[in-house]
Amino acid sequence: METLLTLNPLKPQPHLFKFPNSRICSPISNRRCLISPISCKLSSQPSKDTTQNKVVVPGAAPSLSEENEPPAAEDFRPKKTGGLVIKRLTKRVLAFLANLPLALGEMFTIAALMALGTAIDQGENPEYYFQKYPEDNPILGFFTWRWILTLGFDHMFSSPVFLGTLILLAASLMACTYTTQIPMVKVARRWSFLHSANTIRKLEFSDSLPKASIQDLGVVLSGVGYEVFLKGPSLYAFKGLAGRFAPIGVHLALLLIMGGGTYTATGSFKGSVTVPQGLNFVMGDVLGPNGFLSTPTEAFNTEVHVNRFYMDYYDSGEVSQFHTDLSLFDIDGKEVMRKTISVNDPLRYEGVTVYQTDWSISALQILKDDEGPFNLAVAPLTINGDKKLYGSFLPVGNADTPNVKGISMLLRDLQSVLLYDQEGKFVGVRRPGSKLPIEINGIKIEIVDAIGSSGLDMKTDPGVPIVYAGFGALMLTTCISYLSHTQIWALQDGTTVVVGGKTNRAKIEFPGEMNRLLDRVPEINEPTDVICG
């Protein structure tokens, strides 16, 4: 049902004025800017102009010319309720997702899963979990390898449980933004004038200024950063609208962080390798995909050559740092990059990061009776504790006999070798490269070099730039969210200005700030008539 209202286009309409960030009139210490009389008059006289504007008002009663017209044919058709049902269902789903306790529960669940993923070793073979989490000795009475492998906790950050919780939290954030934050911003941006003095007096702060001008109040507010709007005897001012946008920015920043982390978990590559000094490998042979979005790049064809591996030591002889001199070659064999990496100083090349994480000893190079050099294999020995110990063996006599005897060599690092004779008695210590031979059971041995192996971890993190952008936006929007959104209303009631306001933050300081502003409004000495009729 619609009603056509006729408006006179020649009738003057009320105008909305906005103060710029400058004074409306020049303040003078002992003089005042007077309020000019304001006259508002409503007229119902028809316009003589034949040109008329028509405004359609939905839901109003029909005009007299339409009362006797038969209803249109489509009015007898049954109304479709499918769209209404979908709207109601959508509102219920959005209300459920935007629930604050649900969002907090999702965040705590994600935190718990992250902690569990840190406690459980990731990416190991199933046999590792069979041994560490056996069924005959479950943790907390129920947690065994079945939980880990069934729920995908051996690759926690790409498991369906973790990614599903992230998606649910993202849906909650978007629902909260759509149903709560965006409407709050829309309301905050409206110019809402109050035309009742009693309504203004019910606000958080209210006061009255006898013998004052609403225009002077607008000048004072504009001078301290408020956006001021005047309409007849009413005033509306606000500042700090950015604080209303900040929660939306916080939600978007969190979505960026979660999106970047998810992209890394499902689209990255990872691999580990231990390479002896002097050998090389191809990146693509080491890197393995972590998820269904993992896509190899041209960098995977790069060849990595270990030029040198060496270690630094404390005065006590303990290892303090270890370094690897790496060269990268493209598919044509051209060196494209060279860098010496160490712990906490990785190499980055076209999205691939190479970390120095471990070390080992692969071989001992010796001279035997001035012949050689010969390379003896070195193997790690099992001992109690975290300290490393490696051993090598030089057979003496016939190596094919069941009871082979020979010279044993032990290494704790690359700077010294302990030698033992065929009976297992300690003979002496030699430094690799010292060129000091030692004779054991009639055999002269010289330790030429101890060849180290570099333990390297390689991975790609395509979501890292997104995560960094999200954290940057989160810090910025969090700071902006502390800005107070303050609103002030005022009404000219004769020569009295009724003022009220409210703020969403700094509620304790707000009355003092308002009192200081109102003290700056000058008092009117001349009577001023304000007519509205």
Side-chain angles (χ1 to χ4, degrees):
M1 307 290 289
E2 298 180 347
T3 300
L4 300 180
L5 301 180
T6 302
L7 300 182
N8 187 351
L10 301 179
K11 179 181 176 181
Q13 301 296 326
H15 295 281
L16 188 66
F17 297 94
K18 176 181 176 181
F19 284 108
N21 291 328
S22 59
R23 305 191 66 86
I24 300 177
C25 59
S26 302
I28 304 176
S29 58
N30 296 324
R31 298 178 62 185
R32 298 303 313 268
C33 298
L34 300 181
I35 304 175
S36 59
I38 302 173
S39 177
C40 305
K41 189 175 182 180
L42 300 177
S43 175
S44 61
Q45 296 179 0
S47 171
K48 297 180 181 180
D49 193 349
T50 58
T51 304
Q52 297 178 343
N53 295 333
K54 295 182 179 181
V55 180
V56 180
V57 183
S63 62
L64 295 177
S65 61
E66 297 176 333
E67 284 185 349
N68 297 325
E69 295 181 2
E74 57 268 22
D75 292 343
F76 295 99
R77 298 176 183 176
K79 296 183 178 180
K80 297 181 179 180
T81 59
L84 183 59
V85 172
I86 293 176
K87 288 183 179 180
R88 290 180 177 176
L89 181 61
T90 302
K91 288 184 178 180
R92 290 183 180 179
V93 172
L94 290 176
F96 172 77
L97 291 175
N99 186 275
L100 181 59
L102 175 64
L104 292 176
E106 294 162 356
M107 295 181 69
F108 280 114
T109 301
I110 291 173
L113 291 175
M114 293 175 66
L116 189 60
T118 303
I120 299 175
D121 295 329
Q122 301 290 295
E124 300 291 343
N125 294 324
E127 291 77 11
Y128 174 84
Y129 302 103
F130 295 158
Q131 296 177 3
K132 191 167 184 179
Y133 304 95
E135 290 186 315
D136 55 356
N137 187 22
I139 298 177
L140 300 178
F142 69 96
F143 192 80
T144 65
W145 61 267
R146 293 187 181 274
W147 287 85
I148 298 175
L149 299 182
T150 302
L151 298 178
F153 287 172
D154 57 329
H155 51 279
M156 173 67 75
F157 303 104
S158 60
S159 65
V161 176
F162 186 80
L163 295 181
T165 310
L166 276 182
I167 293 173
L168 186 60
L169 178 58
S172 295
L173 290 175
M174 290 187 286
C176 178
T177 301
Y178 179 77
T179 61
T180 304
Q181 301 301 334
I182 293 179
M184 288 177 63
V185 172
K186 289 181 178 179
V187 171
R189 294 185 64 184
R190 290 196 190 121
W191 302 343
S192 55
F193 295 95
L194 298 181
H195 304 285
S196 171
N198 290 332
T199 303
I200 295 178
R201 291 189 178 97
K202 293 179 182 179
L203 297 173
E204 295 177 4
F205 172 87
S206 63
D207 200 354
S208 298
L209 299 176
K211 298 182 180 181
S213 166
I214 198 170
Q215 281 88 351
D216 290 340
L217 175 61
V219 171
V220 173
L221 294 176
S222 180
V224 294
Y226 281 84
E227 295 286 338
V228 182
F229 304 90
L230 276 174
K231 183 179 181 182
S234 300
L235 176 145
Y236 172 67
F238 73 88
K239 73 174 182 178
L241 186 60
R244 287 295 188 183
F245 285 95
I248 299 178
V250 170
H251 288 181
L252 293 177
L254 291 175
L255 290 174
L256 280 176
I257 295 171
M258 292 188 294
T262 302
Y263 185 28
T264 293
T266 59
S268 62
F269 289 82
K270 186 177 181 181
S272 300
V273 63
T274 301
V275 187
Q277 176 178 300
L279 299 184
N280 50 26
F281 64 94
V282 178
M283 286 186 175
D285 295 339
V286 176
L287 292 170
N290 282 343
F292 60 92
L293 295 179
S294 301
T295 304
T297 63
E298 289 294 331
F300 283 39
N301 296 322
T302 304
E303 186 178 23
V304 182
H305 182 76
V306 179
N307 300 314
R308 185 187 174 207
F309 174 78
Y310 61 98
M311 294 188 289
D312 298 333
Y313 304 91
Y314 293 111
D315 294 339
S316 61
E318 299 290 334
V319 176
S320 64
Q321 181 64 280
F322 36 100
H323 312 264
T324 305
D325 181 12
L326 298 176
S327 290
L328 306 185
F329 297 89
D330 61 15
I331 196 171
D332 298 324
K334 179 182 177 181
E335 186 179 47
V336 294
M337 186 176 183
R338 182 169 182 172
K339 181 179 179 180
T340 299
I341 67 172
S342 59
V343 178
N344 299 325
D345 184 18
L347 179 148
R348 292 181 173 88
Y349 177 72
E350 294 188 0
V352 180
T353 306
V354 182
Y355 297 91
Q356 179 76 76
T357 57
D358 201 359
W359 64 273
S360 180
I361 301 176
S362 59
L364 268 178
Q365 194 174 77
I366 67 169
L367 292 176
K368 177 183 176 183
D369 293 330
D370 296 328
E371 295 180 358
F374 302 100
N375 289 333
L376 299 180
V378 175
L381 304 178
T382 302
I383 59 173
N384 295 327
D386 298 330
K387 294 184 179 181
K388 296 184 178 183
L389 184 64
Y390 297 87
S392 184
F393 184 77
L394 175 63
V396 175
N398 188 3
D400 296 330
T401 59
N403 298 322
V404 179
K405 293 186 177 181
I407 300 171
S408 301
M409 306 175 192
L410 297 180
L411 301 87
R412 189 180 63 175
D413 46 44
L414 300 179
Q415 63 180 349
S416 60
V417 179
L418 284 71
L419 296 100
Y420 299 81
D421 62 12
Q422 299 181 35
E423 304 300 327
K425 296 180 180 179
F426 174 72
V427 178
V429 179
R430 289 295 182 268
R431 289 183 177 273
S434 63
K435 297 182 179 180
L436 295 177
I438 185 171
E439 187 172 340
I440 305 174
N441 299 124
I443 301 174
K444 186 173 69 172
I445 297 174
E446 180 183 335
I447 308 296
V448 178
D449 193 11
I451 301 175
S453 296
S454 178
L456 304 175
D457 275 5
M458 303 175 61
K459 66 177 182 177
T460 63
D461 290 318
V464 166
I466 303 176
V467 173
Y468 284 175
F471 273 110
L474 180 63
M475 291 186 289
L476 178 62
T477 53
T478 301
C479 294
I480 295 176
S481 66
Y482 284 98
L483 296 177
S484 299
H485 177 238
T486 305
Q487 296 173 283
I488 296 176
W489 291 268
L491 182 67
Q492 186 80 52
D493 187 8
T495 59
T496 301
V497 176
V498 181
V499 185
K502 64 179 182 178
T503 185
N504 64 334
R505 299 187 184 275
K507 295 182 179 293
I508 298 178
E509 295 83 1
F510 180 62
E513 178 186 354
M514 286 297 301
N515 287 326
R516 288 190 295 270
L517 290 176
L518 298 182
D519 290 341
R520 297 171 56 182
V521 179
E523 185 177 337
I524 297 178
N525 295 323
E526 297 85 353
T528 301
D529 295 331
V530 177
I531 304 172
C532 185

